[in-house]
Amino acid sequence: MLELRVSNTDRYALALRADGVLEIRRYRAGIATVLASTLGGVPDLTNWASFTFTVQGTSPVTLTGSVNGTVNGTVKVRAQDSSVSALTGAGAAGIAATASGILFDNFTLTGL
C-alpha cells in the first residue's frame, strides 16, 4: 500500500490486493472504507510494477491510482471523497505491507 496520512489513524491508501484488485481506501479512526476498486492491471504479481498515488483538493478530495509509471502510467482507479469523513488536512506519505515477502524499491515523494 501507498499511504498518505493525516494522523496516525487517518489516511488514504492505494492498495494492491493479493487477487490483483487495486483499491483506494480511506482509514478514519482505524476503520477502512473502500472508495473505489478495479482490476489492477498487473499481469504478474510476482514481478515488479510501479504505482503512483495522487491526492488533491479538499472539497472534494480527488484520488487517483496509476500503474506502471507516472509519465506513461495508466490511471486505473479514481475516487472523489466529498463525505463528512473526507480527510482534508496535510500529512505525510508512507509505504505499508500487510504480508511478509513484499519488496519495495525506489520510493519517490513529490509535492505539488
Side-chain angles (χ1 to χ4, degrees):
M1 286 192 288
L2 297 178
E3 296 184 333
L4 299 173
R5 294 181 177 266
V6 174
S7 70
N8 287 338
T9 59
D10 296 345
R11 63 195 182 275
Y12 286 113
L14 177 68
L16 179 64
R17 298 186 337 204
D19 62 0
V21 172
L22 191 64
E23 292 182 339
I24 293 177
R25 303 174 183 165
R26 178 187 59 235
Y27 290 85
R28 176 69 104 165
I31 298 171
T33 301
V34 176
L35 301 175
S37 67
T38 189
L39 289 176
V42 179
D44 181 359
L45 295 177
T46 65
N47 205 347
W48 292 101
S50 61
F51 299 87
T52 302
F53 186 35
T54 304
V55 179
Q56 297 176 310
T58 58
S59 183
V61 178
T62 302
L63 308 101
T64 58
S66 299
V67 176
N68 289 326
T70 56
V71 176
N72 296 318
T74 303
V75 173
K76 296 300 282 183
V77 63
R78 300 175 193 270
Q80 286 195 334
D81 191 359
S82 57
S83 72
V84 296
S85 297
L87 307 176
T88 59
I95 301 173
T98 58
S100 63
I102 297 173
L103 302 175
F104 296 101
D105 191 19
N106 299 338
F107 179 77
T108 302
L109 174 62
T110 305
L112 300 175

